[in-house]
Amino acid sequence: MASSATVGDLVSQPYKYGFVTDIETEKIAKGLSEDVVRLISAKKQEPAFLLDFRLRSYRQWLQMEEPDWASLGHPPIDYQEIIYYAAPKQQEKKASLDEVDPKLLETFEKLGIPLSEQKRLSNVAVDAVFDSVSIATTYREKLAEHGVIFCSISEAVKDHADLIEKYLGTVVPGNDNYFAALNSAVFSDGSFVFIPKGVECPMELSTYFRINSGDTGQFERTLIVAEEGASVSYLEGCTAPMFDTNQLHAAVVELVALDDASIKYSTVQNWYAGDENGKGGIYNFVTKRGQCRGDRSHISWTQVETGSAITWKYPSCVLQGADSVGEFYSVALTNNRQQADTGTKMIHVGPRTRSTIVSKGISAGHSSNSYRGLVQLGPKAVGARNYSQCDSMLIGDQAAANTYPYIRSQQPEARIEHEASTCRISADQLFYLQSRGIAFEEAVSMMVSGFCRDVFNQLPMEFAAEADKLLALKLEGSVG
Amino acid sequence: MIRPDAPVLLEIRDLTARVEDQPILKGVSLTIRAGEIHAVMGRNGSGKSTLSKVLAGHPAYTVTGGSVRYMGDDLLTLEPELRARAGLFLGFQYPVEIPGVSNLEFLRVATNARRAGKGEEELDTFAFEDLVRERLQVVQMDPAFLERSVNEGFSGGEKKRNEILQMALLEPLVAVLDETDSGLDIDALRIVAGGVNHLAGPDNATLLITHYQRLLDVITPDYVHVMAAGRILRTGGKELALELEERGYDWVDAELAALERTPAEVG
Ligand SMILES: Nc1ncnc2c1ncn2[C@@H]1O[C@H](COP(=O)(O)OP(=O)(O)OP(=O)(O)O)[C@@H](O)[C@H]1O
Ligand SMILES: [Mg+2]
């Protein structure tokens, strides 16, 4: 009897990054208090201004409520059950990669991120963050020749305290929202990028985040500053082992672009998503915001969100400078019991500011996938324009897709265009492709990548093909 | 062209199939040899498209009995894509639209899949462009259709031409064309029929599903079969089609009624 591949046959594609690295870690006791905040700051030997920032944020967080407006449901998070600091025991950052614990190098190699001199990617500098700590950053010297700073945020606090003090918390203030306040109080590590005036960053920069511990929250903080006329393209990737408990990940990313500067920020998010019944997986509550502070500046967010049990994430642009441009390109894929509520905010402040939003949501299994976006045009945003396109693709008949576009405009003449569509991959379409000799998985992947093309085209070349493969892998078995 | 000694390409025996709980095919038998052109006619709902989809391996249909041998092998255990790679082609009655998938890319992947099935090497994009431009002539199709998504926004007739273009690229051994003539204007019918004739040869075979004599005026069938209620009720030469054109299908009811009354005798 002919047996065409069905959901059940293929669903059980294992998550290939689910292994745990057996390494000695230094952890503090679980729970959160002012003392814990002080302890984290002390461990990192931070200057007073930063401890102040943390404490202020912590006190504000205590006054805040966890937001409940997103289309997400999860059991309450017990913030006292989380460990707020964990680091592999080799504390001292090594001057040379040869001194880094081979187990860590091996871990990243297994994840497809070779760090060693011989094997590393030729035109991508990588900062590797393992649990709460950055363990290595490649190509630092080469970047330094161009005046580019690329290091962990902890190192930046030590070596470039003036820049940190000048920019940290200026885009996402310590009390911005519940999860941002929590992050501001306890953030552990992350990346810092500084591109000085007039410099075009000579290579792709990338941070790879790895959660290893099962009971640790990850609170990384990334800050990217591009001075006048500078430009940079940055990519972050993330994976985590499979645990049947949920881990909290609450990151903050701030981007600052001065006059004529350009920042392109891409994310391929593949945190562990939980099993097919929704057990385990990362709770991903992330605040990402870029400020086009200067005239003609340009910030572009591209995200491919495939992992996490819950995704709560709205990479946004504040378009302050005249003629500045904000872009948001997103593919969010949910399968099994995953839930995603993601989108963007384009806040047009300056005149003739322009923004583009392209969102592609793919929902399979019993998952739920919502686009939530705000386009706001303030009183000075004369001549501002926005174009939004939100497309949903449903696979199977148990998944849900929603679109919540909000528009607030004080510019009656402004051009704001919104297009939306929903489609479903049908068994007949797949059969058509199969009947032309194309295998089932390839057929699904052809249809999905066709759907996502506008977004994948925005990814740095090296990663576009990866993203394609990742989606295909995530969807195996979801159509039948 | 009938050659009794030509190799059998497709042999269908007592094939029964259902969709959900409803039996549709109730015992179809049909033997197709290399070089032959068969026409299957019959009323709406008699099971013609079902037969074609069961042959191609559509997952909605469950085979409940009988056998199909293709080039001597059991066809029914093969995944649909393997049937296609082995040279079985189905021209759909209703080709679906696949937004976002480029027609050119689709045709290239399909062609290479079939080539792999024949043990031929993959064509790169340039070699494929040359091939597809040549095959476009067969159906006199505008190259602009290559740039669009598969069948998306194509008119009914354009979809059918795209089917024949696929057939021209895949060079099947057995082509089942389900009402490829429906919805075509007179010129298009001539072009499509010309394409089918052009591709038909001594080593392959064609199964045409059609309602109209006008197609059989341009493609001369060796055999004409009449399907009714999931069976092949009668088989004849090309004159059977002319007879149907004249008499319609009323006689079918009488024969079917007779079949229902004496199932044992007719087996
Ligand atoms: N997927 C399906 N679900 C339910 N019923 C079906 C399905 N496919 C076919 N049928 C039924 O099976 C019968 C035969 O359908 P089929 O499409 O094979 O007819 P046909 O001979 O091709 O007709 P036409 O000449 O109109 O194209 C019809 O009664 C049809 O409603
Ligand atoms: Mg039909």
Side-chain angles (χ1 to χ4, degrees):
Chain A
M1 211 97 324
S3 67
S4 203
T6 58
V7 190
D9 301 341
L10 292 158
V11 134
S12 43
Q13 180 67 26
Y15 179 69
K16 44 174 216 206
Y17 308 106
F19 62 90
V20 184
T21 304
D22 179 17
I23 192 161
E24 227 186 317
T25 46
E26 181 204 353
K27 291 180 184 176
I28 62 172
K30 66 185 178 188
L32 183 54
S33 65
E34 203 164 301
D35 286 343
V36 167
V37 175
R38 285 177 194 280
L39 180 62
I40 293 171
S41 189
K43 278 194 173 295
K44 303 171 99 58
Q45 301 159 19
E46 290 175 351
F49 81 86
L50 203 49
L51 176 60
D52 278 353
F53 175 72
R54 288 181 183 276
L55 289 173
R56 251 182 295 130
S57 305
Y58 175 66
R59 288 174 196 140
Q60 280 162 325
W61 179 74
L62 288 175
Q63 310 297 317
M64 299 166 94
E65 298 268 330
E66 203 180 292
D68 62 357
W69 42 261
S71 300
L72 301 169
H74 58 84
I77 299 168
D78 185 346
Y79 292 90
Q80 298 306 334
E81 278 300 310
I82 295 170
I83 292 174
Y84 288 86
Y85 185 85
K89 262 199 189 144
Q90 61 134 36
Q91 251 319 38
E92 204 49 32
K93 180 123 176 182
K94 304 300 177 194
S96 140
L97 273 169
D98 305 336
E99 300 167 45
V100 172
D101 187 328
K103 265 190 190 161
L104 290 175
L105 294 180
E106 204 181 291
T107 300
F108 281 93
E109 190 142 329
K110 241 164 121 179
L111 297 169
I113 317 288
L115 298 171
S116 68
E117 204 74 45
Q118 310 83 0
K119 290 190 196 155
R120 61 202 195 187
L121 301 168
S122 64
N123 201 33
V124 184
V126 178
D127 184 23
V129 178
F130 188 89
D131 282 339
S132 302
V133 170
S134 163
I135 58 156
T137 311
T138 62
Y139 291 116
R140 295 171 63 144
E141 301 75 24
K142 183 169 172 200
L143 290 168
E145 286 167 21
H146 297 261
V148 172
I149 303 170
F150 180 37
C151 62
S152 72
I153 206 133
S154 310
E155 289 166 284
V157 167
K158 292 200 182 78
D159 303 342
H160 310 282
D162 51 330
L163 290 172
I164 298 295
E165 185 165 14
K166 184 168 173 192
Y167 288 107
L168 190 85
T170 62
V171 182
V172 178
N175 62 350
D176 188 80
N177 67 67
Y178 188 82
F179 295 107
L182 177 63
N183 173 287
S184 301
V186 302
F187 71 87
S188 37
D189 216 339
S191 300
F192 174 66
V193 175
F194 179 80
I195 318 287
K197 201 167 173 168
V199 171
E200 187 181 323
C201 187
M203 53 171 68
E204 199 75 45
L205 303 184
S206 151
T207 300
Y208 196 89
F209 294 101
R210 172 71 176 171
I211 295 181
N212 193 57
S213 308
D215 43 7
T216 312
Q218 184 140 333
F219 305 96
E220 73 289 329
R221 183 115 196 165
T222 294
L223 172 62
I224 299 179
V225 179
E227 285 195 329
E228 290 84 352
S231 69
V232 62
S233 169
Y234 175 93
L235 182 124
E236 67 168 341
C238 358
T239 58
M242 302 192 281
F243 294 112
D244 53 12
T245 52
N246 301 102
Q247 287 96 54
L248 178 63
H249 173 254
V252 170
V253 175
E254 299 178 278
L255 312 181
V256 179
L258 303 185
D259 286 354
D260 300 294
S262 149
I263 301 175
K264 181 174 172 60
Y265 192 107
S266 314
T267 305
V268 177
Q269 187 263 107
N270 187 19
W271 296 121
Y272 178 52
D275 69 10
E276 64 274 20
N277 300 313
K279 194 155 178 54
I282 302 287
Y283 289 169
N284 193 30
F285 294 93
V286 173
T287 304
K288 290 184 166 170
R289 194 173 306 149
Q291 200 168 32
C292 283
R293 222 168 261 190
D295 293 349
R296 297 167 304 277
S297 55
H298 186 154
I299 287 179
S300 176
W301 297 101
T302 303
Q303 61 171 20
V304 179
E305 300 283 319
T306 66
S308 297
I310 288 183
T311 299
W312 178 98
K313 181 179 173 194
Y314 315 90
S316 304
C317 296
V318 181
L319 303 169
Q320 230 159 23
D323 300 291
S324 60
V325 176
E327 292 170 321
F328 173 73
Y329 298 96
S330 169
V331 166
L333 177 148
T334 54
N335 197 355
N336 298 322
R337 302 274 167 181
Q338 281 178 277
Q339 307 174 57
D341 193 298
T342 183
T344 183
K345 288 190 272 186
M346 292 292 172
I347 312 293
H348 293 253
V349 180
R352 298 175 307 279
T353 45
R354 280 169 293 147
S355 64
T356 301
I357 298 172
V358 177
S359 160
K360 306 277 179 175
I362 303 167
S363 341
H366 288 81
S367 69
S368 146
N369 199 331
S370 301
Y371 167 81
R372 190 181 301 277
L374 169 68
V375 175
Q376 182 172 318
L377 277 60
K380 293 194 193 118
V382 181
R385 287 163 64 175
N386 163 266
Y387 170 76
S388 304
Q389 185 192 334
C390 301
D391 299 323
S392 309
M393 176 180 261
L394 293 166
I395 300 180
D397 50 12
Q398 304 292 317
N402 295 299
T403 305
Y404 305 100
Y406 305 92
I407 295 171
R408 277 188 228 136
S409 174
Q410 298 183 42
Q411 299 292 331
E413 306 288 301
R415 276 169 57 191
I416 302 174
E417 293 169 59
H418 182 91
E419 288 176 26
S421 75
T422 302
C423 65
R424 194 183 286 279
I425 290 193
S426 71
D428 279 329
Q429 288 171 319
L430 289 170
F431 177 65
Y432 188 79
L433 296 175
Q434 277 184 286
S435 76
R436 297 302 181 247
I438 300 167
F440 186 81
E441 290 82 359
E442 197 181 353
V444 174
S445 134
M446 268 174 110
M447 294 191 60
V448 169
S449 41
F451 179 73
C452 300
R453 186 160 305 131
D454 293 349
V455 174
F456 287 174
N457 284 345
Q458 300 294 328
L459 283 174
M461 268 252 285
E462 295 88 332
F463 300 98
E466 286 298 309
D468 230 5
K469 269 190 263 165
L470 179 61
L471 285 202
L473 198 70
K474 286 270 160 180
L475 277 177
E476 276 200 2
S478 54
V479 194
Chain B
M1 183 205 335
I2 302 178
R3 285 178 294 145
D5 58 337
V8 173
L9 295 182
L10 190 71
E11 182 159 41
I12 308 172
R13 270 208 207 136
D14 299 324
L15 184 67
T16 57
R18 62 176 163 78
V19 59
E20 276 147 27
D21 287 333
Q22 194 192 339
I24 314 259
L25 298 185
K26 297 175 185 160
V28 175
S29 297
L30 184 61
T31 300
I32 299 180
R33 291 174 189 273
E36 295 175 350
I37 295 179
H38 291 242
V40 172
M41 308 185 78
R43 277 187 176 145
N44 295 132
S46 56
K48 304 181 297 295
S49 294
T50 302
L51 174 63
S52 72
K53 288 191 210 167
V54 167
L55 291 177
H58 195 294
Y61 301 87
T62 310
V63 173
T64 48
S67 67
V68 181
R69 301 199 81 77
Y70 175 74
M71 316 263 297
D73 295 327
D74 181 0
L75 180 75
L76 300 176
T77 53
L78 293 181
E79 294 292 333
E81 61 267 29
L82 298 181
R83 303 181 192 194
R85 289 178 206 170
L88 182 74
F89 179 84
L90 169 57
F92 285 83
Q93 183 173 4
Y94 304 109
V96 293
E97 304 194 359
I98 309 184
V101 175
S102 121
N103 202 26
L104 181 65
E105 170 75 2
F106 159 68
L107 294 170
R108 191 174 62 80
V109 175
T111 303
N112 279 328
R114 171 74 178 117
R115 288 179 68 87
K118 284 190 286 190
E120 293 171 1
E121 69 192 51
E122 196 167 289
L123 295 178
D124 65 18
T125 41
F126 302 106
F128 179 71
E129 283 258 4
D130 293 344
L131 178 70
V132 77
R133 269 162 210 281
E134 176 208 316
R135 298 294 148 92
L136 276 170
Q137 310 287 325
V138 175
V139 282
Q140 299 182 22
M141 225 166 118
D142 189 328
F145 285 103
L146 300 176
E147 306 306 322
R148 292 166 61 174
S149 292
V150 179
N151 294 328
E152 193 184 27
F154 287 25
S155 76
E158 288 162 354
K159 284 180 183 162
K160 297 297 173 74
R161 283 200 212 191
N162 203 33
E163 294 291 289
I164 301 301
L165 173 62
Q166 291 167 46
M167 175 176 159
L169 285 165
L170 300 184
E171 300 177 351
L173 289 173
V174 174
V176 180
L177 302 178
D178 191 357
E179 298 201 28
T180 302
D181 54 330
S182 310
L184 294 181
D185 65 40
I186 296 161
D187 289 341
L189 178 74
R190 206 170 296 135
I191 291 163
V192 164
V196 173
N197 280 328
H198 175 80
L199 298 167
D203 299 323
N204 58 29
T206 312
L207 180 65
L208 296 170
I209 297 173
T210 183
H211 288 295
Y212 302 109
Q213 176 58 37
R214 57 171 200 185
L215 179 71
L216 304 181
D217 287 340
V218 258
I219 308 175
T220 314
D222 300 303
Y223 296 98
V224 173
H225 310 275
V226 179
M227 240 182 127
R231 296 181 179 89
I232 289 181
L233 205 59
R234 200 190 275 186
T235 294
K238 61 175 191 279
E239 61 297 332
L240 178 55
L242 291 165
E243 190 187 330
L244 289 173
E245 184 92 337
E246 227 160 77
R247 285 174 57 196
Y249 288 111
D250 281 348
W251 58 273
V252 163
D253 294 325
E255 287 201 20
L256 270 183
L259 266 181
E260 303 286 315
R261 267 197 307 276
T262 54
E265 283 155 56
V266 281

